[in-house]
């Protein structure tokens, strides 16, 4: 789909999740970043982008991304993602 020029936030999210599930966080990061560039309020993408950064061992990037994701979730009223990110941020600070 990307090769045909059919880029979208949903497509990028799906690709990012597939790469993350396949334990390829570096490729996942690329797609999640494109996803949130296309839709800054895609809070689930921010959440998984943080997880991908954490898998890469980059706690600073994970924290930064999760802060952006928390802001997005609050704007959207996405309570589930808000709760998840809040838990991840608390664990990260321990």
């Amino acid at each position: 789909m990307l090769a045909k020029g059919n880029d979208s936030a949903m497509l990028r999210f799906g690709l990012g999740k597939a790469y993350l599930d396949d334990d390829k966080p570096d490729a996942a990061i690329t797609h999640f970043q494109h996803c949130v560039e296309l839709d800054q309020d895609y809070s689930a993408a921010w959440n998984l982008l943080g997880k991908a950064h954490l898998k890469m061992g980059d706690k600073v990037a994970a924290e930064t991304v999760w802060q952006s994701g928390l802001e997005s979730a609050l704007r959207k009223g996405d309570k589930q993602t808000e709760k998840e990110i809040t838990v991840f941020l608390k664990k990260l600070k321990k």
Side-chain angles (χ1 to χ4, degrees):
M1 292 179 78
L2 280 178
K4 293 180 181 181
N6 296 328
D7 202 0
S8 71
M10 186 181 293
L11 174 62
R12 292 297 186 144
F13 179 80
L15 289 169
K17 179 148 179 23
Y19 279 115
L20 190 60
D21 291 346
D22 199 28
D23 201 28
K24 296 179 181 172
D26 52 336
I29 287 169
T30 299
H31 291 291
F32 288 134
Q33 284 176 329
H34 282 288
C35 178
V36 298
E37 287 169 9
L38 292 167
D39 182 355
Q40 293 179 359
D41 282 335
Y42 208 128
S43 52
W46 285 109
N47 187 12
L48 294 183
L49 179 57
K51 287 182 180 182
H53 278 293
L54 195 59
K55 275 194 159 199
M56 293 291 294
D58 191 345
K59 291 180 180 181
V60 173
E63 182 177 11
T64 301
V65 164
W66 279 331
Q67 287 294 342
S68 295
L70 184 57
E71 292 168 14
S72 169
L74 289 168
R75 277 194 305 273
K76 282 180 52 178
D78 183 351
K79 296 293 185 190
Q80 180 62 35
T81 301
E82 177 187 340
K83 287 177 187 176
E84 287 179 24
I85 290 175
T86 300
V87 168
F88 292 141
L89 285 169
K90 285 180 182 177
K91 286 181 180 179
L92 195 62
K93 293 182 184 202
K94 286 184 177 182

